[in-house]
Structure formats: structure tokens, C-alpha cells
Amino acid sequence: MRFVQDIPHTRFRIGLYAWNGKYIVKIEAGPYEQTYKISEMDLTDPAVVPAMLDEPFMSRVAQRFQDMDTDWQATGERNDAF
């Protein structure tokens, strides 16, 4: 996997990578990660990726991270792991 660039964000660590004919957007928050794969054929210029990470999209990303944490905590409690 080839690193393309970091995408600055106030809440999350975001990296853009290229691998196997795809661009990969990795968004990290603590122990959780969301990955979006975009075919190089579908994206004319990887420079547009930061603009695609607009407020409505990032708001949903934040909600998804919250849901992931809720699910993880719930399974830990159900299974006496925490």
C-alpha cells in the first residue's frame, strides 16, 4: 500500500493511500477505523478526496464511530470481558 497524503482534520486521523487499483481513505478515531475504497477508474483526481470529506459526510462518520463504540462496549459487558 502506498501512502498518498494525510488529510488534516480536527477530530480524526485521515490518510489517503493507493493500492491495487484503488484509493483507500482510512479514518481513525482511537481504537476504531473506517475504510472507504474507491476505484482509481471512478476518481479522476485524488486531490478531490479532501473536498468529499465535507461536514455532512464527516458527521455520519462521527456517528458511526459512536455506534461502533456503543456496540463494542455492549458486547464486552454481555460477555463479561470488561
Side-chain angles (χ1 to χ4, degrees), residues 1 5 8 13 20 23 30 37 44 57 61-62 69 71 74 76 78:
M1 187 169 357
Q5 74 179 81
R13 181 168 187 235
N20 203 22
Y23 289 108
K37 296 178 183 177
T44 56
F57 179 80
V61 165
D69 185 60
D71 294 344
R78 276 192 313 274

Side-chain angles (χ1 to χ4, degrees), residues 34-73:
Q34 294 178 45
T35 304
Y36 298 85
K37 296 178 183 177
I38 309 141
S39 171
E40 287 180 354
M41 304 292 278
D42 292 339
L43 197 60
T44 56
D45 181 4
V48 302
V49 171
M52 294 173 66
L53 306 178
D54 60 10
E55 181 53 36
F57 179 80
M58 294 308 296
S59 178
R60 292 292 300 141
V61 165
Q63 181 60 52
R64 200 166 293 112
F65 276 128
Q66 186 174 355
D67 292 344
M68 291 169 73
D69 185 60
T70 299
D71 294 344
W72 184 247
Q73 295 302 319

Side-chain angles (χ1 to χ4, degrees), residues 73-82:
Q73 295 302 319
T75 193
E77 291 171 13
R78 276 192 313 274
N79 294 285
D80 295 321
F82 306 131

